Amino acid sequence: MAFLVSSLFLILVFMMGTIIGSPDAPFPQGDEIMHIRSVRESLQIGSVLIPSLSGLPNPYKPPLLFWMGMASDQIFGMSYVSERLVSICFGTGSLLLLYRLVMEMGRSRSEAVLTSLLFGFSFLSLKFFGLLMMEGPMVFFLLIYFYCFYLYQKTKKLSYLFSGSFLSGIGYLLKGPILHVYLILFLFSYFYVKLIRFRKGKLSFQWKHIFQEKWIVYSFALTAIIPLFWILFLYFYVPSGKDLLRFFFITENMGKFYSANQPGLRIWLGWVLYTVPFTIPLLQLVWNSITQKIQTKHQTYVQTVLVFFLLVTSLHLLPNRKDPYYVTPFISFIFLLPAMKGISWQSVLMTKANQISLLLVYFLLVILSMFVRLPYLFGISLLFTVLVASSFCFFQKRDHQWKGILFSQLSLLPIVIFFLLRPMSDPDLRIQTKEIQQESICVVAENPWTAMDAQNKLQNAKIQFSLPLTIDENCRNTQYLINYTKGKVPNEFTPIKSWFHWTQHLDLDFPTVVTSLLKMDSKKFQTEITLWKREETK
């Protein structure tokens, strides 16, 4: 078992090292383009204290992530690896916190290692701990507060409570006051569990707990120290500080309540998506925690976490913008439920529902590999299909069954990354334009983030953005043009190269999709990108 765990941790380290070095991450998030652009531009123009974007102070997010990205670039050199190393460090810290929490809860070292390992192989970790995004650090800051909160409850040492409150307050510099809202909801959930009692059909309130744990309430004021200093600094010492604060609190945050409404199902989808490949057993675990009335040593924490899940989900159902990744800071608490309930990961993962669903997923990968003609994916998916089927049909010893299921479950996302997504990824823009990376290039696209992405990948090029209707005006001084649209290019440009990208936001009906798959016609799902050169004038 020790050899298996060591091997899996080495695989995890190798995967993250591979992921952070690629400009086109296997699980991209559009906001990262803006974050990397802000880091590099701020260094180039010397706007370190107040990060900039497109020549202006960046009003969208506080500066902590950008500061750390700039520091990493200064130390290790400007690259995707340097910038994403920030999230890797926070991810490593989160795994260590999970390990320490499980150990503090009295579980064995193997259970603590498994908790960290499984969380490390979750979709959340493999995506956000490999991108320059706020979500990975947010996981860390929530965990550091809960870790210190738990140690305070265990030892009654106020130093844990004070340090946890102060450190978590630094998280304001990531995404603003939303982290404080999460902490308030966590404390509300805790006191709700401690205060309210239903006995013999009567509702009663145990108000004494408020007074007994008053330091929890008092110490929360420490979370406001860093935010207060930053807000006052912007307000009094930065010329554009008042405008930055106004935009951030009103336009950026309050604007989420006025933008186009999105279906609330997206938030619930986040709980399902970012717990992959452990979604089925974890959902079973949550359901059993709700329906079963088994008292355990940490039952208060189990109930607190369940109430907390309900509150934060309800919170994110309120704004009109409901992106699934909004729930990512709380996924780590689901992985703590087995330790809180005193059950082993073996019992969590060895349910029939989990084994059957895992077998079905690998079987679907086999079918998919035949459609998209990926022989390596076909071979390894077929191998794991046989392994999973054998684990609960032929293996007699439960320990062998458990190792087969564990290894198959942890291998699912690595297989998808290296044998499905990598072979089908878009062509590398750096390779397609390797002869013109020192030139001036006009990027024609519907979204300015496409030009930011091109500038991030082609560091030495001078990138100019243009909408399809403004090419004549915006591209008149550039030597080359990359057209990401179907718009007409001026006659003075000559096409010299083209390639295809997978199209986002496809609007295809089901019969068209099926027909395209059967005919192996991938162009139905792709957009042609063209490279043009300005003709020499005589």
Side-chain angles (χ1 to χ4, degrees), residues 193 289 292-304 340-341:
V193 172
S289 301
Q292 295 176 358
K293 305 299 180 182
I294 301 175
Q295 291 296 321
T296 66
K297 179 182 178 182
H298 296 93
Q299 186 63 21
T300 297
Y301 292 106
V302 173
Q303 295 173 344
T304 297
M340 294 177 183
K341 291 172 65 64

Side-chain angles (χ1 to χ4, degrees), residues 73-126:
D73 271 349
Q74 288 288 81
I75 296 171
F76 302 107
M78 187 175 293
S79 69
Y80 284 90
V81 173
S82 299
E83 291 137 4
R84 290 169 176 170
L85 191 62
V86 173
S87 293
I88 288 282
C89 291
F90 277 111
T92 303
S94 299
L95 297 183
L96 291 174
L97 284 173
L98 284 174
Y99 174 83
R100 289 302 312 161
L101 272 165
V102 176
M103 291 293 290
E104 292 291 343
M105 291 176 182
R107 303 295 293 166
S108 66
R109 187 181 301 274
S110 61
E111 285 295 316
V113 170
L114 275 174
T115 301
S116 296
L117 185 64
L118 268 61
F119 183 66
F121 275 89
S122 68
F123 183 49
L124 182 153
S125 298
L126 293 178

Side-chain angles (χ1 to χ4, degrees), residues 460-484:
N460 298 321
K462 184 178 179 182
I463 301 295
Q464 173 68 42
F465 169 68
S466 175
L467 291 169
L469 296 179
T470 59
I471 295 179
D472 289 331
E473 178 183 354
N474 293 328
C475 301
R476 61 176 179 267
N477 296 321
T478 58
Q479 185 68 21
Y480 292 88
L481 182 149
I482 303 176
N483 189 8
Y484 285 83

Side-chain angles (χ1 to χ4, degrees), residues 343-367:
I343 60 178
S344 68
W345 276 106
Q346 181 172 336
S347 62
V348 173
L349 298 182
M350 286 297 289
T351 62
K352 286 296 182 184
N354 183 51
Q355 295 179 59
I356 294 172
S357 63
L358 188 60
L359 178 63
L360 179 61
V361 169
Y362 274 113
F363 179 72
L364 291 176
L365 282 178
V366 172
I367 302 300

Side-chain angles (χ1 to χ4, degrees), residues 223-249:
T223 64
I225 293 178
I226 298 298
L228 186 61
F229 270 106
W230 178 246
I231 291 172
L232 291 176
F233 172 76
L234 287 178
Y235 191 85
F236 290 108
Y237 295 101
V238 177
S240 59
K242 296 183 182 67
D243 294 329
L244 289 174
L245 291 171
R246 187 181 301 110
F247 182 92
F248 177 68
F249 284 109

